[in-house]
Amino acid sequence: MALSTDPGITQDELRLAARNHGMPLEALRWPITPVGLHYLLIHYDVPLVDPAGFRLDVTGAVAKPLVLTLDDLRARPAVEVVSTFECAGNGRAMLEPRPISQPWLAEAIGTARWRGVPLAELLEEAGPSSDGVDVVFAGLDRGVEGELEQRYERSLPVSEAMGAGCLVAYEMNGGPLPPQHGFPLRLVVPGWYGMTNVKWLTEISVVEEPFTGYQVATGYRVKQTEEEEGRPVTRMRPRSLMAPPGIPDFNTRDRIARAGVHLLEGRAWSGRAPIVRVEVSVDDGRSWEDATLLRDFPDPYAWCAWRHGWTATPGDHVLCTRATDETGDTQPLEPEWNIGGYENNAVQRVRVHVD
Ligand SMILES: Nc1nc2c(c(=O)[nH]1)N[C@H]1C(S)=C(S)[C@@H](COP(=O)(O)O)O[C@H]1N2
Ligand SMILES: [Mo]
């Protein structure tokens, strides 16, 4: 990974940022993110797929390989899951030095209602070998990364893939998947960082040796140097974000608000355990107050809403919010650096000028 201490982003980063947009933080006010406001992350190109010729293969170390058309999948009993996605690189652009990749600030998030077929049912029907270790999910998109030509592939341990909650989805928010979100089919793995939700899913393959593809063995690992093996990025760490109050300055997006009472609102999630606490600070993290939690969805890995009253006095303020999950994991005030710029869940700071 190339690194930079230059505060300005590079042309390479700008090119990525212009293709892959974040969710504007005011969209935290919607419980389900409208499709066009959901963040996007596409490593290579969006493939053009002819749905009539499309097939999903369930193959590898299985008793009975399956070849499924979209009609086959739609004819099966469907389930829905509300799942919050966050890109593992969210917060990368706030690291110093900055890993050169998609330069996310805090907005690589979104929540959708996904509909499709439970992954466990497809796997059970195919009958994974008892020596199966990993399940590999391949997309139709190809590119070059780390000097390796590849199709986008990620794996999950068999036990995780067979667990409840994973979905092979063909609908997002009540409509067909849009091209940029994986049309016609994608994997949804609630609780894991975004890279696990393989788009344009064309092959599910059970393997008897641990999967060593680029996106698992090289990319998406927390490490301090390129040479280290590091540890894999898996489930989302707790995070809370606030819909910025008041109105924005066009250039800086700093906020301008009137003195008086404001209702601060936002959402919080963790892929590891339920959120048990959200706190708000109106003095740049020196003191904290508990916000009120509201659980909109029964789904364990959908974000929950929070609210907190703030009496704004004239002057400059820095508002912060942080979440804690049931494991006791909470957000740090400062980022923890790693070479890929993953899992940066440092608390959000919102500058507000009150007049
Ligand atoms: N086939 C494929 N799947 C993919 C990707 C990709 O580039 N190709 N990007 C991954 C990453 S890094 C993220 S964060 C999520 C983003 O999903 P979204 O664009 O629908 O929000 O998709 C994941 N699935
Ligand atoms: Mo991502």
Side-chain angles (χ1 to χ4, degrees):
M1 185 80 65
L3 300 172
S4 176
T5 54
D6 186 333
I9 63 170
T10 63
Q11 282 280 327
D12 285 353
E13 292 167 291
L14 177 59
R15 198 176 301 107
L16 285 166
R19 291 178 53 81
N20 297 301
H21 64 75
M23 186 194 82
L25 292 185
E26 61 272 30
L28 284 163
R29 296 199 170 89
W30 279 259
I32 297 279
T33 313
V35 169
L37 294 181
H38 194 286
Y39 87 94
L40 270 188
L41 198 292
I42 296 151
H43 280 234
Y44 313 133
D45 290 349
V46 175
L48 173 66
V49 183
D50 168 18
F54 180 84
R55 300 287 182 274
L56 173 69
D57 281 311
V58 185
T59 179
V62 295
K64 188 185 99 180
L66 311 176
V67 181
L68 300 161
T69 66
L70 289 172
D71 285 343
D72 294 337
L73 288 160
R74 284 202 203 91
R76 302 172 71 105
V79 295
E80 286 190 345
V81 59
V82 175
S83 184
T84 295
F85 284 9
E86 178 179 18
C87 181
N90 202 17
R92 174 183 290 128
M94 291 184 288
L95 297 176
E96 174 69 35
R98 191 176 68 249
I100 303 288
S101 181
Q102 167 73 20
W104 293 122
L105 293 166
E107 64 298 276
I109 49 159
T111 293
R113 188 182 296 280
W114 306 98
R115 184 181 175 83
V117 178
L119 172 64
E121 286 180 19
L122 295 179
L123 286 172
E124 264 156 35
E125 194 171 313
S129 138
S130 54
D131 294 328
V133 192
D134 284 335
V135 184
V136 183
F137 303 89
L140 287 165
D141 50 329
R142 297 188 70 82
V144 177
E145 219 173 327
E147 290 166 13
L148 278 175
E149 187 181 324
Q150 55 191 284
R151 50 176 190 176
Y152 188 88
E153 290 178 325
R154 283 275 312 176
S155 65
L156 281 176
V158 172
S159 56
E160 194 84 38
M162 297 292 283
C166 299
L167 205 65
V168 173
Y170 48 75
E171 273 185 22
M172 178 184 190
N173 296 358
L177 290 183
Q180 66 274 29
H181 290 292
F183 179 85
L185 216 56
R186 84 176 303 170
L187 182 67
V188 174
V189 182
W192 283 58
Y193 276 110
M195 71 286 169
T196 316
N197 303 290
V198 176
K199 304 193 262 194
W200 312 293
L201 179 67
T202 183
E203 190 185 285
I204 299 174
S205 176
V206 177
V207 294
E208 294 179 334
E209 297 293 331
F211 178 65
T212 57
Y214 181 87
Q215 306 295 344
V216 171
T218 307
Y220 297 107
R221 298 190 79 89
V222 174
K223 49 190 178 184
Q224 298 299 307
T225 63
E226 215 65 83
E227 295 69 39
E228 247 174 77
E229 195 187 340
R231 65 163 173 86
V233 175
T234 59
R235 292 178 168 272
M236 296 182 287
R237 300 195 58 193
R239 189 184 207 121
S240 173
L241 289 172
M242 175 187 312
I247 56 172
D249 174 77
F250 174 73
N251 271 315
T252 63
R253 297 207 60 84
D254 284 353
R255 313 302 297 186
I256 297 103
R258 300 264 180 271
V261 177
H262 290 261
L263 183 65
L264 301 178
E265 48 185 346
R267 297 188 189 266
W269 63 93
S270 162
R272 303 179 177 203
I275 293 293
V276 292
R277 187 177 198 190
V278 171
E279 295 161 285
V280 169
S281 167
V282 297
D283 57 6
D284 202 6
R286 280 184 288 276
S287 65
W288 296 88
E289 290 168 30
D290 280 316
T292 306
L293 272 179
L294 306 122
R295 296 182 202 279
D296 294 326
F297 302 109
D299 311 65
Y301 302 111
W303 56 21
C304 50
W306 60 260
R307 299 217 169 116
H308 192 66
W310 173 46
T311 305
T313 53
D316 291 312
H317 304 273
V318 178
L319 311 185
C320 308
T321 171
R322 74 177 172 203
T324 304
D325 72 20
E326 214 174 67
T327 69
D329 193 11
T330 193
Q331 298 180 241
L333 283 171
E334 298 303 328
E336 293 155 21
W337 192 90
N338 61 81
I339 201 164
Y342 301 124
E343 300 186 354
N344 175 8
N345 67 336
V347 299
Q348 176 196 21
R349 288 187 159 81
V350 181
R351 280 197 299 275
V352 187
H353 178 74
V354 177
D355 52 23

